[in-house]
Amino acid sequence: MIEKLPDECLLEIFNNLQEGSLFSCLLVNRHWCIINVPLLWKTAGNYLNKRSLIETCLLSLNTEEQSLISSQVILPNHPKPSFEYTNFITSISDRLNVGIVDWFNYYNRTVDDGDNVLRHAIRCSLITMFLRTSKNLIYLKINGAIYEQIIKDLSRNNTIMILELHNSNLNSKGAKVLQDAIIQNTALTYLNLYNFTEATEDLCNSVADALLEMILMMKEEKH
């Protein structure tokens, strides 16, 4: 009987199934559900443009992360998810921005978002949560304004290998924090900084110094 197979065998089988079949496996029993949730959420970053997924992620915010969002925004008040789904997510891309816009426009139609400030706050809050909860986050792309706290959280992350910051608003102080984050994240292998709205000499120098220190550290490790 298949239900008597060891977890290693079940995992091998599930790894070779299409996503549609994996969703069906979730409903067989709790044991199969526990095995399949990490497999499905590993690729959840590809579907963050869907407001239903944004809704689930918002339920994972802690009190501090919720406080980053204005009280004008109506956050979901459903019970916390049965699983810590965001633990398993491996990539965050521009799809997050699309999903947030869709979710915001659907659930907060009466809120005047004028300058997109509220949506920026939601995005920063979610990214802060992903950095806190995800144990396997490899790729992170942030397109738009970011809070300094996110850069500080990056310095405590040792799983991100690819980091892209586009259209950011980092100032000189934020540049120094970014420098520390680049140095301390030992997994980082690719960094893309594009169209910084407050690009300064300090920012360029901080990034250059961080990359130089990383190169020196790598050379020392080889010896």
Side-chain angles (χ1 to χ4, degrees):
M1 297 290 287
I2 192 168
E3 60 266 23
K4 293 184 179 179
L5 287 174
D7 289 355
E8 292 79 6
C9 293
L10 288 173
L11 188 59
E12 185 67 27
I13 293 170
F14 295 149
N15 268 321
N16 287 281
L17 295 180
Q18 298 295 320
E19 286 185 355
S21 299
L22 289 176
F23 277 112
S24 298
C25 291
L26 288 174
L27 306 176
V28 172
N29 56 46
R30 181 169 176 78
H31 184 60
W32 281 28
C33 184
I34 290 172
I35 296 175
N36 276 286
V37 162
L39 298 178
L40 286 167
W41 272 82
K42 181 170 65 174
T43 58
N46 296 332
Y47 307 101
L48 283 174
N49 55 314
K50 300 180 181 297
R51 66 170 177 263
S52 59
L53 208 57
I54 297 296
E55 180 95 350
T56 300
C57 292
L58 287 170
L59 290 170
S60 297
L61 299 178
N62 62 23
T63 304
E64 184 178 350
E65 289 151 3
Q66 289 178 1
S67 70
L68 299 175
I69 303 173
S70 169
S71 58
Q72 291 178 274
V73 178
I74 303 172
L75 291 173
N77 58 0
H78 314 309
K80 290 284 185 181
S82 303
F83 296 90
E84 294 183 356
Y85 297 114
T86 56
N87 280 4
F88 312 110
I89 202 163
T90 59
S91 66
I92 307 293
S93 70
D94 279 347
R95 292 183 177 89
L96 178 65
N97 291 10
V98 177
I100 289 172
V101 170
D102 187 24
W103 178 87
F104 185 89
N105 291 342
Y106 186 83
Y107 289 104
N108 293 269
R109 295 174 186 168
T110 60
V111 179
D112 180 13
D113 190 26
D115 208 9
N116 291 333
V117 173
L118 298 180
R119 280 179 282 185
H120 285 322
I122 294 170
R123 175 167 46 78
C124 288
S125 180
L126 284 171
I127 291 173
T128 300
M129 180 273 294
F130 288 131
L131 288 171
R132 173 179 60 84
T133 61
S134 178
K135 311 302 181 187
N136 303 288
L137 189 61
I138 296 172
Y139 172 75
L140 175 61
K141 180 178 180 179
I142 305 177
N143 191 346
I146 55 176
Y147 294 165
E148 188 177 311
Q149 182 60 44
I150 290 179
I151 302 300
K152 290 180 179 178
D153 291 337
L154 279 171
S155 67
R156 294 190 285 271
N157 178 280
N158 276 310
T159 63
I160 294 175
M161 300 178 67
I162 302 173
L163 176 63
E164 299 190 55
L165 303 178
H166 292 196
N167 303 303
S168 181
N169 60 332
L170 280 184
N171 52 26
S172 298
K173 182 181 178 182
K176 182 62 175 68
V177 179
L178 177 60
Q179 177 182 351
D180 295 336
I182 294 171
I183 293 170
Q184 294 180 48
N185 188 337
T186 55
L188 192 65
T189 58
Y190 178 87
L191 176 66
N192 185 341
L193 306 178
Y194 176 76
N195 194 28
F196 274 50
T197 55
E198 294 186 26
T200 63
E201 184 177 348
D202 288 338
L203 174 61
C204 297
N205 289 338
S206 293
V207 173
D209 289 344
L211 294 176
L212 177 60
E213 186 161 344
M214 284 180 66
I215 293 171
L216 293 174
M217 288 170 61
M218 291 170 65
K219 286 185 176 179
E220 288 180 5
E221 289 177 359
K222 287 183 178 180
H223 293 296

